[in-house]
Amino acid sequence: MYGGSVGISFMQSGARTPTRRQLLSAIAKVGGTAALYQAMTSLGHAAETRFPGPPNLQGARPGASVIVLGAGLAGLLAAFELRKAGYKVQILEFQNRPGGRNWSLRGGDSYTELGGATQKVGYAAGNYFNPGPWRIPHHHRTLLHYCKQFGVALEPFIQFNHSGWIHSSQAFGGKPVRFNAAAADFEGNIAELLAKSVNAKALDDAVTLEDRERLLEALKGWGMLDKDYRYAASLRTSSHRGFKRPGGGGVDGAPIPSDDLYSLHDVLDPQVWTSMGFFMNHEMQTTMFQPVGGMDMIGKAFAKQVEGLITYNAKVSKIAQDDKGVVVTYADTVTGKVTEAKGDWCVCTIPLGILGQMDLAVTDEMMAAIKAVPYSGQVKMGLEMNRRFWEEDDDIYGGHSFTDQEIGLISYPNNNLFQDGPAVLLGAFARDLGAFRLAGMTPEQRIEVALAQGSVIHPKSYRKEFRTGASVAWSRVPWTLGCCARWNEETRKQHYQTLVAMDRRIVLAGEHASYVGCWMEGALLSSLDAITRLHKRALSA
Amino acid sequence: MYGGSVGISFMQSGARTPTRRQLLSAIAKVGGTAALYQAMTSLGHAAETRFPGPPNLQGARPGASVIVLGAGLAGLLAAFELRKAGYKVQILEFQNRPGGRNWSLRGGDSYTELGGATQKVGYAAGNYFNPGPWRIPHHHRTLLHYCKQFGVALEPFIQFNHSGWIHSSQAFGGKPVRFNAAAADFEGNIAELLAKSVNAKALDDAVTLEDRERLLEALKGWGMLDKDYRYAASLRTSSHRGFKRPGGGGVDGAPIPSDDLYSLHDVLDPQVWTSMGFFMNHEMQTTMFQPVGGMDMIGKAFAKQVEGLITYNAKVSKIAQDDKGVVVTYADTVTGKVTEAKGDWCVCTIPLGILGQMDLAVTDEMMAAIKAVPYSGQVKMGLEMNRRFWEEDDDIYGGHSFTDQEIGLISYPNNNLFQDGPAVLLGAFARDLGAFRLAGMTPEQRIEVALAQGSVIHPKSYRKEFRTGASVAWSRVPWTLGCCARWNEETRKQHYQTLVAMDRRIVLAGEHASYVGCWMEGALLSSLDAITRLHKRALSA
């Protein structure tokens, strides 16, 4: 049924049906990206990924060399694939570790932010906090592919948890409510109001008679309405929102319905429906994953594949190029020694805010593009608690509680569920104004804010069980000056194609050179696209 | 703030704040169940569990003995707690293994159903199929408590998966559609219709002006409506329902929105909204768990706690009682030898359909109750596939696809995600008429139905990758004659209190003696309630 016009030998042999990935890879080889994409969508599935399999970089010229700037995921993947293709590769990395924003902080680690504040991390052995990426969507197949290839063990990241708390200072008397109860009451109210409209004949022009009947049936079933199309306290509505007393065993086993339904006014609070909508977001949909042992397991595994190619502590100051090649000037941040690295080509993954400050031999248009894109400044905090009170007292295993306070959310650890002893939760994922204010504080002040605001969600235990914490304000991270690139419609139109285009011998890669910004997948897809074009250019040069 | 009127010494010491469980346990000791429950709900959380901690069975009379019938979870827990309290306990079990319906089939196992058909299970090493219980809600705290106490490792059961397929023979041209797309379009259509009603002033009497504005804002946000309150193809709606081409990296990175929105008529199909509502069901809400290695790890761990107390292969035929004690007559199913077991008391967990056929010394009312409750007859099938095509080709990691065919659903394994090699999926969870028809077939015929119907969801791979399968039709399970007790409002009213009441020296326990029917938690809560009452009776006898 597929690929009839594309002559791919193993499809006609009949001996072994190719896997989907083999097939796509073969189509890409024959027909290029456009044919590939057409084939992918015609395979009958909604297109969930842009990853057609590892790139095909055949025919590299012997001795051709590439300097890769940055040992984040984009740089590491570029180095891995280019070296595999036959290029001579050197990676220059500012930090003393691989991974870039793919990063985990553990007990014993030390981190100094811009401004000079140094935090010594005091978590118990085995515990960690991921300041950067922390969850992997199931459709980020590039990342999943290389995690498997490089032996990174993944475990479920429990994204969606019906038991999480929702807190709004503007609703429910300022008290946190359970997601299941708020969502059930939102749906119930929506269903009741729409049923009322249908029954009042307000939609007779818009909906056929048959569909009006189907609609009423759907509203009753989905929205838990009673026979009169009302959303009211009952065992039935309790089966969605929770019981006053759930069913039990023996003599007193009968359940008692909850009768404290939330008002329409309260469930229309934005915290309720943005929380519900959050889980429907393409990147946030279940199933999600995390590496076993911390997010930096990925960066470490990628780095292991290019062992020996990375020069750490290399602070790049100048990137020059001419018709012959690229010269990168860097200083060793430990010894101060300045060196020039030379190569035929350059894949530059340095974050734009850093790159824009360098002496850079690119066109004015490229420089304008580099300087046009601001970075977001999220603040994340990892708080270690003496015990998992959210599990033991609140029945919350992984997932998030949302709040309209500056911390934004509390996210509960997805590893070592049910274990005794200290555990690290994400005590803040602040954005925008909240992040701005938190970034302006000392690390100690930030923790105090996180404890005060977290105590609104967990009043009895949050301060009492707190042990130690660490924060990363991304606007103060010396090697990125921000969390990730924040394109808008206007900058995309004006600068994106310039930014991703090869500037003679230099090509940029990273999440900033993608439409999957802020995600590791964006960095990898950008990297694959950049090196594929670099390779083509190198062959024709 | 809590327990002011309940004099509990450790609360006043101030030395160490009690955990919630310690507190509840203490309240129960002082004030009994009623006080306990009041305290639980006044602790400020919605009541999620009926488990107040292990029972307090102090003061058992030396030498008092209990015969426990059945080594399922209810029986095993009764034996464990009663022995701990000082009772002399003997368990009689019909099968040659503990756990009862807590059961896993593995390669090498053999199972003979009523009617004589024997299946030899051919799964690869390490693979298993759970014919009975297969998932544990996060609020089933009795089970979670004993799993932790008895060392049963749990892992997430990926209940909710936005990428699962929804299939209805009556909608979408009979083709499966992704849950995320169908749910997004359902929500979008509901939001658009309700916004239309609001804007047409159809709800002015029902909703205040302020809430009408909040409602419109909510519908726009939750339902992804555009500025004209329409649900239409766009990058925004695609961010919920999926893209035609999602964002990528580099030159061709721009996403393309999906433009094949489903019609109102289609998304009103019951398969759509019942699937959406399913995940809001109290027992089905995330986070859920499963034991690492198969569900029977629980039964085995419980059994290990009462090692030496279980007599296997014991077929009970008669349960007699008088003022002095209980006499149970049973035959060894291997040797045929008939024995009488004697005890002061009896906890009987034998499923009602079996129990009703025995020579049983209980009141007529109790016998009527035992015979009044029919059992459901679910059919489950575990199909082993050569590879995880649902992961590799469809981006589905755990969770379910739903269909209106007899198989009901396909559920994907939650263990060993990303692994190569054979894996077992749940190929059917049939109920009612579908189950009835499947139960009437040979095991081979059932597999054929499962393959034919599963192929509608996974047309390219289902048959091709099929390796071997096993089925359990619960109406044909010799030791239960059904899956679980099916109470209705009428039978509850007429018979439930009789069934759970002590009949002189005999008390019944099991999921059938609970309001958490069909769940392991119901069996355990019933067991705890039964032995607590038995103990009281024993003290006053």
Side-chain angles (χ1 to χ4, degrees), chain B residues 313-344:
Chain B
N313 304 315
K315 183 177 181 168
V316 173
S317 58
K318 184 176 173 182
I319 308 173
Q321 64 172 328
D322 59 20
D323 291 349
K324 302 260 172 61
V326 180
V327 180
V328 177
T329 307
Y330 68 95
D332 186 309
T333 56
V334 178
T335 64
K337 188 187 164 202
V338 175
T339 308
E340 283 190 348
K342 290 174 189 176
D344 296 325

Side-chain angles (χ1 to χ4, degrees), chain A residues 213-231:
Chain A
E213 280 163 15
R214 283 165 77 89
L215 178 56
L216 286 173
E217 193 199 349
L219 295 172
K220 217 186 231 177
W222 166 75
M224 306 307 270
L225 306 184
D226 65 18
K227 64 179 172 38
D228 301 319
Y229 300 99
R230 279 180 321 200
Y231 182 73

Side-chain angles (χ1 to χ4, degrees), chain A residues 235, chain B residues 365 368-374 486-499 515:
Chain A
L235 286 175
Chain B
E365 290 73 22
I370 289 168
K371 291 190 169 170
V373 187
R486 223 169 155 171
W487 291 93
N488 59 34
E489 218 171 307
E490 190 50 38
T491 50
R492 285 276 188 206
K493 204 155 60 181
Q494 218 180 324
H495 297 291
Y496 180 78
Q497 288 300 336
T498 304
L499 190 93
Y515 274 81

